Amino acid sequence: MKTADLIVIGAGPAGMAAASTAADAGLSVLLLDEQPRAGGQIYRDVKRAATVRGHILGQDFTEGLPLVEGIEKQGITQVFGATVWSIDATGKVACSVNGQGIVARGLRVLLATGALERPMPIPGWTLPGVMTAGAAQILLKQSGLVPKRAVLAGSGPLLYLIAAQMVRAGVPPLALVETQVRGDFIAALRHSVGALRGWRYLLKGLKMLRETERAGVLRYRGATGIAVEGERQAKALTFTASGQSHRIACDTVLLHHGVVPNTQAARSLGVDHVWSDRQACFVPRPDQWGGTGHDRILIAGDGAGIGGARVAEIAGRLAALRVATDLGRMTGPERDAQAAPLFRQRNRELAVRPFLDTAYPPYTGALSPDDGTIVCRCEEVTAGDIRRFARLGCKGPNQAKAFGRAGMGPCQGRYCGLAVSSLLAQENDATHDGTGYFRVRPPLKPVTLGELAATEDQTGRAG
């Protein structure tokens, strides 16, 4: 069995920053990530992609290079292609690498599992040719591929970034179809003080919008009734905006209306979660250092609530300082001296979040889809099915599994969980916290019997 002072699950900004900070404090670190290279979703494959596509992806992307370079140091053992499928509160972690099971134990485990793009269930969203906007960005980062004749639809600043990147790549989208309305911006003005503190983020958004406008990309706001036309594949996007019906013929539809914490690992450990009205999702409740109530388990980054790459990096460093102090590698005063500027910086970075979350809410039509819209893709369960289960007495998502297998497919509820909980809460006139979420148990990801049978039992210390 491999051992380490700190096991970090996830090599995004939080995980990389934590690993580097912990190693600098003299801790041994085992860094596990499912991807073949470090970077996470936001800095995916940055070390290679920055040299060939940095001018397209922008400065915010290339800022990930120092983090990737920072984990190339003594004391950090990096294991990529590692699918983590079990974590327990004692610090034991099981994963699969190249078809072989590996078991490791850490004195502390940091969950830096990041975020998931919020699914946007609308009519036709399961057709070939429809994907999330983030998935399109992954294709651009890793392979330099850009979908042609594409329409971007939904809500959130990420749409502006992807539209601008597509323009720079020479394949601008046909249109930008946004769901937020003027009233959302007016409501966000109550957070204007924080917005002014985060003026750099707002300025970036304006610049990206100008890029897309100069490229002739059509822009619609306040869109409702969004649907994808097609039988065997996407053919067009239809919607209503400014009182008029629109149809845009296209080959690809890129959907996005926010990101949400990836909470599967934390939930498997029984970490407390609460519903966040502002982010319209469940979030865990770590302390300021990332502590969870389990002595050995910490959380950092977007998996603890959406804050963005810089906030995630800061959270990773703070968690590592906490671990270094717990394990006797630095004193409390030393930790606090290093942490003080990090806390101040985190507060500055988070100041703009209430404004952004209010100005760009999730699309209402996808939070409460029509009865015929599929919400659980794996098992083809519709919104109408979930409402019918509620009328038959189903009170929570775990019951819904028995009623109709919602959440029992390969994704294990990652992509339908919020929709199922929300629909049940709406139909039962209950709170989200009272309705709850899927109960998550190992294996967190599908694992074969062969991988279990080939599980290593090594001794030795990582790093």
Side-chain angles (χ1 to χ4, degrees):
M1 179 183 291
K2 298 179 182 294
T3 62
D5 293 321
L6 174 64
I7 297 177
V8 178
I9 300 174
M16 292 188 291
S20 178
T21 302
D24 288 341
L27 301 176
S28 61
V29 180
L30 177 61
L31 179 61
L32 305 174
D33 193 272
E34 199 165 357
Q35 298 302 317
R37 288 174 286 275
Q41 299 298 341
I42 188 69
Y43 299 132
R44 180 180 283 258
D45 201 15
V46 63
K47 197 168 184 178
R48 183 182 64 86
T51 59
V52 293
R53 285 181 284 278
H55 62 292
I56 295 173
L57 297 168
Q59 182 180 346
D60 285 348
F61 176 70
T62 57
E63 283 178 355
L65 280 170
L67 283 172
V68 174
E69 293 165 353
I71 60 174
E72 300 291 342
K73 61 180 60 173
Q74 188 174 3
I76 301 176
T77 299
Q78 304 175 38
V79 181
F80 293 105
T83 301
V84 174
W85 43 266
S86 177
I87 310 162
D88 70 24
T90 69
K92 185 178 178 182
V93 176
C95 64
S96 295
V97 182
N98 296 324
Q100 183 172 21
I102 295 175
V103 177
R105 189 182 298 278
L107 297 179
R108 296 292 185 273
V109 175
L110 176 65
L111 307 180
T113 51
L116 297 170
E117 197 162 10
R118 185 194 303 272
M120 191 169 161
I122 60 173
W125 76 298
T126 59
L127 285 168
V130 182
M131 66 177 75
T132 66
Q137 195 181 46
I138 288 172
L139 284 174
L140 175 58
K141 289 175 180 177
Q142 284 200 297
S143 306
L145 299 176
V146 183
K148 297 179 180 179
R149 289 178 42 80
V151 176
L152 284 160
S155 175
L158 182 64
L159 289 175
Y160 304 156
L161 173 61
I162 295 174
Q165 290 172 339
M166 293 175 70
V167 168
R168 295 171 203 156
V171 189
L174 297 175
L176 184 59
V177 179
E178 299 181 75
T179 59
Q180 76 276 0
V181 298
R182 182 176 176 80
D184 296 322
F185 180 80
I186 293 172
L189 290 178
R190 69 178 182 269
H191 305 295
S192 57
V193 173
L196 290 174
R197 291 181 66 189
W199 63 270
R200 290 181 178 82
Y201 290 102
L202 302 182
L203 182 60
K204 285 178 185 177
L206 289 173
K207 287 181 177 178
M208 289 185 289
L209 275 174
R210 289 197 191 101
E211 275 190 83
T212 60
E213 288 170 358
R214 286 196 299 267
V217 177
L218 299 175
R219 185 186 182 200
Y220 302 87
R221 282 166 284 187
T224 60
I226 301 174
V228 182
E229 277 188 9
E231 294 183 4
R232 295 182 179 275
Q233 64 184 61
K235 294 292 187 182
L237 186 76
T238 62
F239 59 96
T240 299
S242 301
Q244 294 185 333
S245 297
H246 298 271
R247 181 184 185 276
I248 302 176
C250 59
D251 295 332
T252 308
V253 177
L254 306 177
L255 301 175
H256 174 83
H257 67 152
V259 294
V260 295
N262 180 359
T263 62
Q264 297 292 100
R267 283 188 174 279
S268 75
L269 290 158
V271 173
D272 286 340
H273 288 69
V274 296
W275 180 259
S276 167
D277 286 325
R278 184 164 61 80
Q279 296 193 343
C281 61
F282 288 103
V283 297
R285 296 191 293 179
D287 62 28
Q288 63 178 346
W289 303 98
T292 64
H294 293 291
D295 290 343
R296 291 175 178 258
I297 308 296
L298 299 92
I299 305 177
D302 279 348
I306 304 304
R310 290 181 179 175
V311 173
E313 177 185 343
I314 294 166
R317 297 195 189 284
L318 290 170
L321 293 176
R322 160 75 174 271
V323 172
T325 305
D326 287 352
L327 300 184
R329 298 304 177 95
M330 66 172 58
T331 66
E334 289 172 335
R335 177 200 64 188
D336 293 343
Q338 292 189 43
L342 294 174
F343 281 124
R344 290 194 294 270
Q345 185 182 356
R346 181 163 70 174
N347 289 337
R348 287 195 300 270
E349 296 289 341
L350 284 172
V352 75
R353 291 305 313 183
F355 177 87
L356 294 176
D357 292 337
T358 306
Y360 297 99
Y363 173 45
T364 304
L367 296 181
S368 185
D370 294 338
D371 280 353
T373 302
I374 290 175
V375 292
C376 173
R377 299 182 64 158
C378 299
E379 298 295 330
E380 298 187 346
V381 181
T382 67
D385 290 332
I386 300 299
R387 293 187 177 105
R388 179 168 54 84
F389 300 160
R391 292 193 293 271
L392 290 172
C394 179
K395 299 299 183 183
N398 295 300
Q399 277 184 297
K401 292 180 179 180
F403 275 81
R405 292 190 56 81
M408 295 184 70
C411 89
Q412 298 174 293
R414 282 175 177 79
Y415 300 107
C416 68
L418 288 176
V420 171
S421 291
S422 293
L423 287 167
L424 289 173
Q426 293 164 18
E427 194 69 20
N428 290 319
D429 194 22
T431 65
H432 285 82
D433 287 318
T435 300
Y437 192 80
F438 288 127
R439 188 175 297 112
V440 180
R441 299 186 179 93
L444 300 175
K445 293 285 183 75
V447 58
T448 67
L449 290 175
E451 287 169 338
L452 290 174
T455 297
E456 273 185 351
D457 186 11
Q458 294 185 342
T459 58
R461 193 170 186 78

